[in-house]
Amino acid sequence: MTIINEQTIAAKSQANESDIVLSVKGVSKKFCRDLKRSLMYGVRDITSELLGLREKSDKLREKEFWALNNVSFELRRGEALGLVGKNGSGKSTLLRIIAGLIKPDTGCVEVNGRVAPLIALGAGFNPILTGRENIYANMAILGLSKKEIDERFDEVIEFAEIGDAIDSPVQSYSSGMAARLGFASAIHTKPDILLIDEVLAVGDIKFQSKCYRRLHELKQRGTTFILVSHHPQHILHACSHAIYLSKGKLIEFGEPISIMNRYEEDLFIGTEVQNLGTVSLQEKKDSESLGFDITSIFFRNSQDEIIDSPITSETASLCIGYKVVKDNGVDTVHLSLAVQEIGKEDFALRLSSFDDDVPLDVFSGNHELQVRFPYVGLKPGMYTMQIYIKKDGLYTLDYFESFRFTVRPQGTMTNCLYYQPRTWHSVINEKI
């Protein structure tokens, strides 16, 4: 895992220094996993700060951990940054530090302009107050005068689409209504920096589309925004740059497609399964063999090279090495496969040469059976496969119960169930 430094990130852009609206420099934040110690540390830190004795520390105390660890990057006017990473990677902590809700333990954040944080459902609304009252309170906190709020109030209501509920207490709102009102309030403050933490995920698809159209408009006007989302298409469509966080560290900064590919590979595959995908079996004793023995299981690519993992959308062949140990009168066999994504109950794929009415010839000695896939259709992930060699539809000569393998990504497929081969065309139809 490669950690990039501040100099590498700064080199990503050649824009003038005057365009920088957000600069995050070496920011770290630690928390304590133990409640009692956390309270004790909190009292001690508050007391030290009141007395002017507290200094920023890069040392962990007992039971503490780094939620963020030396994160640095810059954003310029009109740029859109996507934050990706597993739960607990530090994304929300980073947004809260940028918003000024919590202080970093080391490093600093420099903001040039107004920040509108939308990092929780309702964006800090008081549940007892009505939607109308919360709009005025929320937008006032974000720096608008009453006159400015009056001028934009009708636009907020129209965008939020909550109708007569505007004069009802927010506690009676659904999560989607609260998110719509929070988003509408935030964007109508005309912020220089907009922080969005997964709150759009609760809206229906129509409202999400409306929000992303507005984000595009804001970006065109020079608004910078940071978007946290577990949906790759949101990051790819809305953002010009992306950051991948893992365990509080900045793993990679760059183009969204590159970041999402790296994130998906780590998310679906992980380092603990790198050696899976090839199996070699010990030779059976004559008393245990039925005349056809599986000796190995592995994949080959389109160049007939042995590979650890097939890649989504690319050509691959599943190879079953076998040995005919004695003449048992079997000239052909059938191969059956059942593929299941690990952690899922349903089978992702079932194939049988018997169902396809394709008997496979077998030969004395050591040879291979192959199933060739012109396009691997499985999405990136970790799978287990049941393999059966049958004399006919019922009689099993040999089997392997759980062949574990991974499928690696080609492009982004988080939201897909399978890969569909395709070509794109624009056609002039003169018959219409």
Side-chain angles (χ1 to χ4, degrees), residues 81 175 195 198 203 254 406 408 415:
L81 177 71
S175 58
L195 309 178
E198 280 289 359
T406 61
R408 296 188 178 278
N415 292 338

PDB file of all heavy atoms in Angstrom, residues 81 175 195 198 203 254 406 408 415:
ATOM      1  N   LEU A  81     -14.290  17.346  -5.561  1.00  0.00           N
ATOM      2  CA  LEU A  81     -13.481  16.268  -5.011  1.00  0.00           C
ATOM      3  C   LEU A  81     -14.375  15.173  -4.443  1.00  0.00           C
ATOM      4  O   LEU A  81     -15.282  15.444  -3.654  1.00  0.00           O
ATOM      5  CB  LEU A  81     -12.563  16.798  -3.905  1.00  0.00           C
ATOM      6  CG  LEU A  81     -11.696  15.762  -3.193  1.00  0.00           C
ATOM      7  CD1 LEU A  81     -10.588  15.274  -4.126  1.00  0.00           C
ATOM      8  CD2 LEU A  81     -11.095  16.339  -1.916  1.00  0.00           C
ATOM      9  N   SER A 175     -36.857  10.905   6.510  1.00  0.00           N
ATOM     10  CA  SER A 175     -35.436  11.201   6.320  1.00  0.00           C
ATOM     11  C   SER A 175     -35.203  11.867   4.966  1.00  0.00           C
ATOM     12  O   SER A 175     -34.363  12.760   4.840  1.00  0.00           O
ATOM     13  CB  SER A 175     -34.603   9.922   6.434  1.00  0.00           C
ATOM     14  OG  SER A 175     -35.023   8.964   5.484  1.00  0.00           O
ATOM     15  N   LEU A 195     -19.908  20.860   1.373  1.00  0.00           N
ATOM     16  CA  LEU A 195     -19.513  19.545   1.871  1.00  0.00           C
ATOM     17  C   LEU A 195     -20.743  18.644   1.922  1.00  0.00           C
ATOM     18  O   LEU A 195     -21.729  18.976   2.573  1.00  0.00           O
ATOM     19  CB  LEU A 195     -18.894  19.657   3.273  1.00  0.00           C
ATOM     20  CG  LEU A 195     -17.768  20.690   3.449  1.00  0.00           C
ATOM     21  CD1 LEU A 195     -17.302  20.717   4.895  1.00  0.00           C
ATOM     22  CD2 LEU A 195     -16.612  20.394   2.511  1.00  0.00           C
ATOM     23  N   GLU A 198     -22.965  11.740   1.911  1.00  0.00           N
ATOM     24  CA  GLU A 198     -23.903  10.637   1.685  1.00  0.00           C
ATOM     25  C   GLU A 198     -25.378  11.005   1.883  1.00  0.00           C
ATOM     26  O   GLU A 198     -26.235  10.146   1.799  1.00  0.00           O
ATOM     27  CB  GLU A 198     -23.598   9.458   2.630  1.00  0.00           C
ATOM     28  CG  GLU A 198     -22.462   8.587   2.172  1.00  0.00           C
ATOM     29  CD  GLU A 198     -22.810   7.738   0.957  1.00  0.00           C
ATOM     30  OE1 GLU A 198     -23.930   7.803   0.466  1.00  0.00           O
ATOM     31  OE2 GLU A 198     -21.923   7.020   0.486  1.00  0.00           O
ATOM     32  N   GLY A 203     -32.628  10.224  -0.944  1.00  0.00           N
ATOM     33  CA  GLY A 203     -33.635  10.798  -1.835  1.00  0.00           C
ATOM     34  C   GLY A 203     -34.023   9.841  -2.939  1.00  0.00           C
ATOM     35  O   GLY A 203     -33.293   8.894  -3.255  1.00  0.00           O
ATOM     36  N   GLY A 254      -6.113  11.472  -7.276  1.00  0.00           N
ATOM     37  CA  GLY A 254      -5.969  11.536  -8.719  1.00  0.00           C
ATOM     38  C   GLY A 254      -7.285  11.553  -9.451  1.00  0.00           C
ATOM     39  O   GLY A 254      -8.312  12.003  -8.912  1.00  0.00           O
ATOM     40  N   THR A 406     -10.801 -15.160  -7.209  1.00  0.00           N
ATOM     41  CA  THR A 406     -11.250 -13.774  -7.248  1.00  0.00           C
ATOM     42  C   THR A 406     -11.397 -13.334  -8.693  1.00  0.00           C
ATOM     43  O   THR A 406     -10.753 -13.863  -9.598  1.00  0.00           O
ATOM     44  CB  THR A 406     -10.250 -12.840  -6.545  1.00  0.00           C
ATOM     45  OG1 THR A 406      -8.997 -12.920  -7.212  1.00  0.00           O
ATOM     46  CG2 THR A 406     -10.084 -13.216  -5.090  1.00  0.00           C
ATOM     47  N   ARG A 408     -11.047  -9.816 -10.828  1.00  0.00           N
ATOM     48  CA  ARG A 408     -10.526  -8.456 -10.687  1.00  0.00           C
ATOM     49  C   ARG A 408     -11.272  -7.498 -11.610  1.00  0.00           C
ATOM     50  O   ARG A 408     -11.840  -7.920 -12.619  1.00  0.00           O
ATOM     51  CB  ARG A 408      -9.026  -8.433 -10.998  1.00  0.00           C
ATOM     52  CG  ARG A 408      -8.220  -9.243 -10.006  1.00  0.00           C
ATOM     53  CD  ARG A 408      -6.721  -9.056 -10.201  1.00  0.00           C
ATOM     54  NE  ARG A 408      -5.981  -9.797  -9.212  1.00  0.00           N
ATOM     55  CZ  ARG A 408      -5.743  -9.380  -7.969  1.00  0.00           C
ATOM     56  NH1 ARG A 408      -6.203  -8.201  -7.588  1.00  0.00           N
ATOM     57  NH2 ARG A 408      -5.069 -10.111  -7.117  1.00  0.00           N
ATOM     58  N   ASN A 415     -21.956  -1.230  -8.981  1.00  0.00           N
ATOM     59  CA  ASN A 415     -23.413  -1.253  -8.995  1.00  0.00           C
ATOM     60  C   ASN A 415     -23.987  -2.261  -9.985  1.00  0.00           C
ATOM     61  O   ASN A 415     -25.180  -2.240 -10.259  1.00  0.00           O
ATOM     62  CB  ASN A 415     -23.958   0.148  -9.331  1.00  0.00           C
ATOM     63  CG  ASN A 415     -23.683   1.123  -8.213  1.00  0.00           C
ATOM     64  OD1 ASN A 415     -23.474   0.715  -7.083  1.00  0.00           O
ATOM     65  ND2 ASN A 415     -23.681   2.403  -8.505  1.00  0.00           N
TER      66      ASN A 415
END
